[in-house]
Amino acid sequence: MTGDSEQRGRPLARIAHPAAGRGSVTALADRPAHEPADRRVDDPEAVLSKAAHENFPVALRVLPRAVRRHLMAIYGFARLVDDIGDLAPGDRMAQLDAVDEDVDRIARGQTPERPLLAELAGTVRAFDIPPEPLRRLVQANRQDQTVHRYGDFEELRDYCVLSANPVGHLVLYVFAAVTPERLELSDAICTGLQLVEHWQDVAEDLQRDRVYLPKDDMDRFGVAELDLLAPTAAEPVRRLIAFELDRARGLLDQGAPLIATLHGWARLSVAGFLAGGRAAVAAIAAAEYDVLSQTPKPTRRRLARELSFVLLRKG
């Protein structure tokens, strides 16, 4: 498959969980210049408006309204803490601490101070969701304030335990589908999805002085940070991205058996996440691993093909 064949048709936004956190942010240059930072990060209408346009697999659009509402509450929380960690003026650590305090209020059955989290409180109560996954999402954004480079792949995977895997846990809670085995499979899918987003967003992340490519892998392939500033990816960068993409693909495949254990709307939703990740992998490969001159995005046709494959094969 060539880059031209993948780009035919209407391109999709990056595909991830309905509550994707680190890695799913729209580039700063793409945000309206007149929209003040505080409105972007703490206005319920503004935050949830993003949810209608970012990172929602097609499968989610056919879910019953009540299910979508709960998933949107989860997305809104992850979107809020991600925007605080990336965009908020002032003391971001203090603002993240305040969100953590709201998580504690919700866990105690109290009303959170932020209006945006009122919906989340209802979702937590409806499905008896523990606070730990929410706290880990906050902690991921704390880490983003102090850690901007990762020495090896294990360090990056540990970060995904905070930034990505909790989302899968929250989704399984909404579908009343939590078991230890499913959580483990979900972790593989979520980490794979997060890594794919990192490989899509190399240039964007570098604008924020963040590099999610492991340093030892960069050294192995002869890639320096200056190489990531080029308008087009040189051959060593492409080889590095191909290597990292294989890791993400392997994790998606490792978690794929989760689909066969689910039923109904849960199966369709999680299949949509997996299909989206695989479609994004294909888009990057079709772009010949050049993630510097563009952000490779899958087409609707490719996403539909992957979703059909996942549903028919149950993984």
Side-chain angles (χ1 to χ4, degrees), residues 180-199:
E181 294 78 11
R182 284 173 175 156
L183 290 175
E184 184 176 350
L185 293 171
S186 171
D187 287 347
I189 292 176
C190 291
T191 294
L193 287 170
Q194 181 74 90
L195 293 174
V196 172
E197 288 183 352
H198 286 325
W199 313 151

Side-chain angles (χ1 to χ4, degrees), residues 51-131:
H53 299 96
E54 294 181 11
N55 294 332
F56 265 66
V58 174
L60 287 181
R61 301 185 185 279
V62 302
L63 293 177
R65 180 177 298 178
V67 176
R68 288 203 313 272
R69 179 177 177 180
H70 289 301
L71 292 178
M72 287 282 283
I74 292 170
Y75 176 91
F77 176 81
R79 179 77 276 164
L80 172 65
V81 295
D82 202 35
D83 279 358
I84 290 173
D86 283 341
L87 301 171
D91 189 340
R92 293 177 181 176
M93 286 292 200
Q95 293 178 62
L96 290 169
D97 288 345
V99 173
D100 229 355
E101 291 170 4
D102 263 346
V103 170
D104 290 339
R105 291 186 183 94
I106 293 172
R108 294 193 298 264
Q110 299 172 348
T111 301
E113 290 188 356
R114 279 178 165 78
L116 180 63
L117 301 191
E119 286 287 333
L120 178 68
T123 296
V124 167
R125 287 193 296 269
F127 300 101
D128 197 22
I129 297 175

Side-chain angles (χ1 to χ4, degrees), residues 70-276:
H70 289 301
L71 292 178
M72 287 282 283
I74 292 170
Y75 176 91
F77 176 81
R79 179 77 276 164
L80 172 65
V81 295
D82 202 35
D83 279 358
I84 290 173
D86 283 341
L87 301 171
D91 189 340
R92 293 177 181 176
M93 286 292 200
Q95 293 178 62
L96 290 169
D97 288 345
V99 173
D100 229 355
E101 291 170 4
D102 263 346
V103 170
D104 290 339
R105 291 186 183 94
I106 293 172
R108 294 193 298 264
Q110 299 172 348
T111 301
E113 290 188 356
R114 279 178 165 78
L116 180 63
L117 301 191
E119 286 287 333
L120 178 68
T123 296
V124 167
R125 287 193 296 269
F127 300 101
D128 197 22
I129 297 175
E132 284 75 17
L134 302 171
R135 290 182 178 133
R136 289 203 299 273
L137 290 174
V138 177
Q139 183 58 30
N141 283 274
R142 287 198 187 98
Q143 182 166 318
D144 275 336
Q145 307 311 305
T146 59
V147 180
H148 299 162
R149 305 291 187 276
Y150 290 84
D152 57 38
F153 185 67
E154 288 309 309
E155 288 184 7
L156 187 59
R157 284 194 67 164
D158 288 344
Y159 171 69
C160 292
V161 170
L162 299 175
S163 67
N165 297 2
V167 175
H169 293 200
L170 293 166
V171 169
L172 289 176
Y173 271 105
V174 167
F175 287 114
V178 172
T179 67
E181 294 78 11
R182 284 173 175 156
L183 290 175
E184 184 176 350
L185 293 171
S186 171
D187 287 347
I189 292 176
C190 291
T191 294
L193 287 170
Q194 181 74 90
L195 293 174
V196 172
E197 288 183 352
H198 286 325
W199 313 151
Q200 284 178 302
D201 294 345
V202 170
E204 176 184 320
D205 288 332
L206 192 57
Q207 292 177 11
R208 295 193 175 96
D209 190 32
R210 294 174 185 163
V211 177
Y212 293 96
L213 291 162
K215 180 62 167 59
D216 61 350
D217 291 340
M218 293 176 64
D219 292 342
R220 173 183 173 185
F221 285 90
V223 174
E225 283 194 26
L226 285 177
D227 297 325
L228 305 180
L229 294 171
T232 302
E235 188 59 29
V237 175
R238 294 174 192 248
R239 290 198 301 269
L240 172 60
I241 295 299
F243 173 77
E244 303 295 358
L245 202 63
D246 279 342
R247 284 174 155 168
R249 184 188 294 110
L251 285 163
L252 293 174
D253 292 344
Q254 180 182 326
L258 174 62
I259 309 304
T261 75
L262 299 172
H263 306 281
W265 296 118
R267 181 167 172 254
L268 179 62
S269 297
V270 178
F273 308 149
L274 177 60

